[in-house]
């Protein structure tokens, strides 16, 4: 039901400025995870689209709860990568990057657009100010280049 998605958005927004010790860890995060885990198939599809209409401050707290949750209707790894693409704050991006490689390796490359992979590559290059790809072809840029090249062949 849409009310669960609306509730979740308002709940996160109400709690954004609360910084008491343990408040987020013991109260807010479990509630976010519980709501996400309880979403039906239809609501999960709607949620997976709707959150990208939310602002960065509201969408960021969802990332960990999505990948560590257990809603079988949510493509957790792909959604986590999409959240990474939506975030602009460098500190938050560096935190999300810690789980990015693991989530990236679990997404279904076949069903995802070339544009997604190009955006991922550019975001990572910008985050780490990579100028020369060959010189900085780390464990992430190379797989992205390989996927991009393979998808380009099929165009």
């Amino acid at each position: 039901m849409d009310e669960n998605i609306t509730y979740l958005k308002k709940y996160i927004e109400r709690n954004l400025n609360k910084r008491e010790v343990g408040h987020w860890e013991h109260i807010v995060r479990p509630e976010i995870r519980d709501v996400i885990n309880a979403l039906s198939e239809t609501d999960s599809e709607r949620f997976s689209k709707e959150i990208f209409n939310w602002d960065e401050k509201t969408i960021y707290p969802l990332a960990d709860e999505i990948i560590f949750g257990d809603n079988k209707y949510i493509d957790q790894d792909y959604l986590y990568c999409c959240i990474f693409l939506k975030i602009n704050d460098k500190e938050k991006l560096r935190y999300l990057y810690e789980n990015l490689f693991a989530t990236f390796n679990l997404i279904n490359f076949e069903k995802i657009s070339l544009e997604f992979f190009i955006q991922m590559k550019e975001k990572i290059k910008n985050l780490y100010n990579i100028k020369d790809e060959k010189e900085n072809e780390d464990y992430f840029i190379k797989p992205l280049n390989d996927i991009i090249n393979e998808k380009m062949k099929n165009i």
Side-chain angles (χ1 to χ4, degrees):
M1 297 160 83
D2 280 338
E3 63 233 24
N4 289 331
I5 298 168
T6 302
Y7 164 78
L8 186 59
K9 180 181 185 206
K10 289 179 180 177
Y11 182 76
I12 293 170
E13 290 171 344
R14 273 194 321 270
N15 284 284
L16 281 172
N17 295 323
K18 295 184 179 173
R19 297 289 172 221
E20 296 91 31
V21 174
H23 181 75
W24 269 86
E25 191 64 34
H26 301 293
I27 298 170
V28 178
R29 290 185 66 195
E31 176 68 6
I32 293 170
R33 199 172 317 120
D34 288 346
V35 172
I36 292 171
N37 289 342
L39 293 173
S40 68
E41 183 175 4
T42 302
D43 286 342
S44 294
E45 288 174 26
R46 212 169 305 140
F47 168 77
S48 296
K49 294 174 186 162
E50 175 64 29
I51 61 172
F52 295 106
N53 295 321
W54 301 359
D55 64 30
E56 182 174 328
K57 292 181 301 197
T58 308
I59 196 174
Y60 173 75
L62 295 172
D64 283 348
E65 308 324 314
I66 288 170
I67 62 165
F68 298 121
D70 60 3
N71 181 317
K72 66 182 180 181
Y73 303 116
I74 292 177
D75 187 347
Q76 297 163 292
D77 302 303
Y78 176 67
L79 204 54
Y80 185 91
C81 291
C82 290
I83 290 172
F84 175 82
L85 288 174
K86 288 289 194 182
I87 301 298
N88 293 309
D89 179 279
K90 293 242 185 212
E91 185 179 321
K92 290 176 180 170
L93 281 170
R94 285 194 171 96
Y95 173 79
L96 293 174
Y97 188 81
E98 292 175 20
N99 289 315
L100 193 63
F101 188 69
T103 59
F104 176 79
N105 281 321
L106 295 172
I107 62 176
N108 182 345
F109 300 133
E110 309 299 316
K111 72 175 190 173
I112 298 171
S113 72
L114 171 63
E115 183 61 31
F116 169 83
F117 296 104
I118 292 170
Q119 288 175 0
M120 287 288 288
K121 178 180 166 181
E122 290 306 311
K123 189 81 163 193
I124 293 165
K125 283 174 59 177
N126 290 336
L127 177 62
Y128 290 103
N129 296 317
I130 297 173
K131 303 285 188 243
D132 181 359
E133 284 181 35
K134 294 291 182 204
E135 195 172 301
N136 293 288
E137 197 168 56
D138 66 358
Y139 65 94
F140 211 160
I141 294 293
K142 179 165 180 7
L144 277 167
N145 280 335
D146 292 345
I147 294 165
I148 290 167
N149 291 336
E150 189 61 35
K151 286 197 168 279
M152 299 271 293
K153 286 181 196 174
N154 296 329
I155 292 179

